[in-house]
Amino acid sequence: MIHRQWFDEGGNLGGRSNGLKKIFKILRKRIYLILSLTIVAIGITAALSYFVITPIYQAQTQFLVNQTVNDQEVYARAQQLETDLQLINTYNVIIKSPAILNKVIDKLDLNIPTEKLAEQIIVSSESNSKVVNIKVLHTDSEKAVTISNTVAIVFKEEIPKLMSVDNINILSEAKISKDSSPVKPNKLLNIVLGAVIGFVISVGFALLLEFLDTTIKTESDIEELALPVIGLVGVFPTEKNYKSRKARRA
């Protein structure tokens, strides 16, 4: 059986000059397959984003670390600021510790392990800032707000006992909003990624199908091999056509 030669002696696809032309020709030939697979990928991604993946809501509470200055303070104000900034890292760890979260669970009567609740909490602070953000991710927007505010309140109540300091002021509390939208999943981003991935996969699949199909089907396939065409085989007539042709001759 004669097979089409897709690669030249150097291992390149049809040579450097016409390699891209062949690829575009294949893509144009398989355009409906590529579009179909891409649309299927978009549909699957949209269905997962809208109907399967559970939406996640976020609530945020902020508090300020601010040490009180008095006349007997032995440190300068600049040193005091540096001390507060260093304490923030310690506070970030304490907030997610069982000493705080166990009391939050008891207050809200949550049926959840401490470790699981800690995974839903994100504590962050900007560089050289004394403002700490407590973010809570939850499938229920109202519970996210409640947990976020409760964590801040419990922390403010317990930190004087844990570190003998009283320098926490809550700046803003999380609020319940009827118009709150989930932060996860990002439906539009997922659909765009699904379209891109589906397109890439469909293009790869189309090229694979074409390269696996090495049989010669048309005269142009032979011409691509730079081989002379010795002759052509015509289409054999069917029995019906043969009888009609014989009748005409009679």
Side-chain angles (χ1 to χ4, degrees), residues 35-75:
L35 291 178
S36 299
L37 292 179
T38 302
I39 293 173
V40 169
I42 293 174
I44 293 175
T45 306
L48 291 175
S49 299
Y50 281 92
F51 304 109
V52 178
I53 300 177
T54 304
I56 303 296
Y57 297 87
Q58 176 181 287
Q60 175 176 290
T61 304
Q62 292 181 324
F63 67 81
L64 174 67
V65 178
N66 189 25
Q67 186 73 29
T68 304
V69 180
N70 52 53
D71 297 335
Q72 298 178 351
E73 188 66 51
V74 294
Y75 298 103

Side-chain angles (χ1 to χ4, degrees), residues 3 10 45 69-70 74 86 95 107 126 131 134 137 140 157 162 179 188 205 208 215 223-225 228 234 244 246 248:
H3 294 273
T45 306
V69 180
N70 52 53
V74 294
Q86 292 176 355
I95 288 173
K107 274 195 170 187
E126 298 295 333
V131 177
I134 300 176
L137 302 176
D140 189 319
E157 293 173 351
L162 298 174
D179 300 328
L188 179 59
F205 185 62
L208 179 62
T215 58
E223 293 175 350
E224 288 180 359
L225 300 176
S244 62
K246 188 176 179 180
R248 286 198 299 270

Side-chain angles (χ1 to χ4, degrees), residues 109-153:
D109 194 22
L110 299 176
N111 186 19
I112 184 175
T114 305
E115 296 79 9
K116 187 67 174 179
L117 179 59
E119 294 175 359
Q120 299 175 355
I121 300 174
I122 301 173
V123 183
S124 62
S125 59
E126 298 295 333
S127 178
N128 296 325
S129 172
K130 296 194 294 182
V131 177
V132 178
N133 303 312
I134 300 176
K135 297 179 182 179
V136 175
L137 302 176
H138 202 282
T139 55
D140 189 319
S141 59
E142 294 184 4
K143 285 188 176 180
V145 170
T146 304
I147 293 173
S148 179
N149 290 332
T150 305
V151 169
I153 293 172

Side-chain angles (χ1 to χ4, degrees), residues 48-250:
L48 291 175
S49 299
Y50 281 92
F51 304 109
V52 178
I53 300 177
T54 304
I56 303 296
Y57 297 87
Q58 176 181 287
Q60 175 176 290
T61 304
Q62 292 181 324
F63 67 81
L64 174 67
V65 178
N66 189 25
Q67 186 73 29
T68 304
V69 180
N70 52 53
D71 297 335
Q72 298 178 351
E73 188 66 51
V74 294
Y75 298 103
R77 185 179 295 271
Q79 293 174 322
Q80 208 164 28
L81 175 61
E82 183 66 24
T83 301
D84 286 343
L85 292 176
Q86 292 176 355
L87 284 175
I88 287 178
N89 294 328
T90 304
Y91 295 158
N92 292 348
V93 177
I94 295 176
I95 288 173
K96 300 180 69 173
S97 68
I100 302 299
L101 297 187
N102 284 338
K103 294 186 179 298
V104 172
I105 292 174
D106 293 339
K107 274 195 170 187
L108 299 179
D109 194 22
L110 299 176
N111 186 19
I112 184 175
T114 305
E115 296 79 9
K116 187 67 174 179
L117 179 59
E119 294 175 359
Q120 299 175 355
I121 300 174
I122 301 173
V123 183
S124 62
S125 59
E126 298 295 333
S127 178
N128 296 325
S129 172
K130 296 194 294 182
V131 177
V132 178
N133 303 312
I134 300 176
K135 297 179 182 179
V136 175
L137 302 176
H138 202 282
T139 55
D140 189 319
S141 59
E142 294 184 4
K143 285 188 176 180
V145 170
T146 304
I147 293 173
S148 179
N149 290 332
T150 305
V151 169
I153 293 172
V154 171
F155 177 74
K156 182 179 180 180
E157 293 173 351
E158 295 298 319
I159 196 63
K161 305 174 187 177
L162 298 174
M163 299 187 64
S164 300
V165 294
D166 187 9
N167 59 347
I168 305 299
N169 297 308
I170 296 179
L171 295 179
S172 64
E173 295 182 350
K175 297 181 179 179
I176 299 175
S177 175
K178 295 182 179 179
D179 300 328
S180 59
S181 57
V183 294
K184 297 179 183 180
N186 189 329
K187 299 174 182 177
L188 179 59
L189 178 61
N190 288 350
I191 292 174
V192 172
L193 290 177
V196 173
I197 294 173
F199 177 77
V200 172
I201 293 176
S202 61
V203 168
F205 185 62
L207 293 175
L208 179 62
L209 288 178
E210 189 69 20
F211 293 152
L212 291 178
D213 183 12
T214 56
T215 58
I216 294 176
K217 296 185 178 65
T218 63
E219 182 181 348
S220 61
D221 292 337
I222 299 178
E223 293 175 350
E224 288 180 359
L225 300 176
L227 296 176
V229 179
I230 300 176
L232 295 176
V233 178
V235 178
F236 288 98
T238 62
E239 183 180 354
K240 181 178 180 181
N241 292 335
Y242 177 78
K243 290 182 178 179
S244 62
R245 187 183 303 175
K246 188 176 179 180
R248 286 198 299 270
R249 288 179 181 177

